[in-house]
Amino acid sequence: MIKKCTCVIAALFLSAAFAFAVKYSYRDNVYQKLAEEYSVKADKALDAGDYDLAIEYSEKAEENAALSEEFIRSLRRRAEAEELLAKAKERLDYARKIGADENYPVAFNAASDYYDEAEEAFDDEDYENAADLARKVLDTLSGIKGIYGLPRFYIVQPWEITRDCLWNISGRTYVYNNPWLWENLYRANREKLPDPNNPNLILPGMKLEIPSISGEYRSGTYDPNQTYDTYSPNYSHKR
């Protein structure tokens, strides 16, 4: 009799301990409710001296407590996977927006494949694998940054800061990558100059046009905070 009572008390203790551990999160799941109901029944059976029934109820309480614990773990895995998938999608959309599919095709395609696999794993309720694949998306795209083709306009900066002159501007990689091509800038902007006959006189704040010289596509105004392609006569981004 003492042995039976000991088993019941131990079982009830385990069930109560688990109930305390999860009472602040996901407590209302059906398994936890059943565990609590069986614990109450076991307690009443024990008080009534029906030790066999008390043991039976306490075992059911433990069984449902274990199911509740696994249910909670599953919910947490799902929530984590959902959060990581959302971040992966956001990062993938951003990468596409900045042209990573063209400028970083290997990394972008690998990340896209990981994301598709992550969604499939999530639909199959394989949340751990879905989370791992979503992390791979983020890791694969972690080094991706925007590359902005070639600019069409350039705002002249003070000489003491950037040493701006048509020769130096022409030599910049995003312009012509060759200072000897400065005359293209001069011809396109001659009428804007304070003295159209003096290509050496340009003023800070002037908006210079960078004309296309080999059919390359140019758009927007140069932004020092962005990363641009490097011009070459065989530049692939044509009109």
Side-chain angles (χ1 to χ4, degrees), residues 11-233:
L12 288 172
F13 175 80
L14 289 172
S15 179
F18 177 74
F20 176 80
V22 301
K23 69 178 180 179
Y24 295 110
S25 65
Y26 306 109
R27 178 166 180 168
D28 290 335
N29 74 78
V30 64
Y31 303 113
Q32 182 60 30
K33 288 182 178 180
L34 285 172
E36 292 172 355
E37 290 174 6
Y38 280 120
S39 292
V40 171
K41 289 181 179 181
D43 191 35
K44 289 180 178 179
L46 182 63
D47 289 342
D50 192 342
Y51 303 118
D52 290 334
L53 186 58
I55 290 174
E56 180 182 344
Y57 283 149
S58 65
E59 288 174 348
K60 288 182 178 180
E62 278 192 279
E63 179 183 340
N64 280 281
L67 290 172
S68 177
E69 183 176 8
E70 179 54 36
F71 177 75
I72 292 170
R73 287 174 180 167
S74 178
L75 288 180
R76 288 173 176 165
R77 287 193 295 265
R78 179 189 175 97
E80 180 185 23
E82 281 182 325
E83 182 180 358
L84 286 168
L85 274 170
K87 290 180 179 179
K89 186 178 187 305
E90 180 181 0
R91 183 63 180 172
L92 197 61
D93 289 344
Y94 170 74
R96 184 181 291 105
K97 181 179 179 181
I98 65 174
D101 51 339
E102 293 185 5
N103 297 310
Y104 302 92
V106 174
F108 183 83
N109 291 335
S112 295
D113 290 342
Y114 286 141
Y115 183 78
D116 289 342
E117 292 176 21
E119 281 195 317
E120 291 180 8
F122 187 87
D123 290 341
D124 292 337
E125 299 185 2
D126 187 356
Y127 302 128
E128 288 188 12
N129 192 31
D132 289 341
L133 289 164
R135 290 189 189 96
K136 287 184 178 181
V137 174
L138 297 172
D139 290 343
T140 302
L141 297 177
S142 62
I144 298 297
K145 57 184 178 179
I147 294 181
Y148 285 75
L150 296 172
R152 183 181 176 186
F153 299 99
Y154 178 82
I155 306 297
V156 177
Q157 302 300 306
W159 168 262
E160 60 272 15
I161 297 176
T162 57
R163 294 294 189 266
D164 273 358
C165 64
L166 296 183
W167 172 275
N168 288 338
I169 294 171
S170 179
R172 303 210 174 119
T173 58
Y174 51 85
V175 181
Y176 297 130
N177 204 27
N178 184 346
W180 292 97
L181 298 176
W182 67 270
E183 289 188 46
N184 293 285
L185 295 175
Y186 176 51
R187 287 193 295 269
N189 297 279
R190 180 173 180 172
E191 300 307 317
K192 301 177 185 177
L193 302 181
D195 180 356
N197 295 316
N198 183 2
N200 294 315
L201 182 58
I202 60 174
L203 301 177
M206 289 180 59
K207 187 175 183 178
L208 300 179
E209 181 181 359
I210 307 170
S212 171
I213 60 174
S214 62
E216 78 277 9
Y217 178 71
R218 293 180 175 274
S219 65
T221 301
Y222 172 75
D223 181 348
N225 296 316
Q226 305 296 350
T227 301
Y228 291 86
D229 283 345
T230 296
Y231 170 80
S232 72

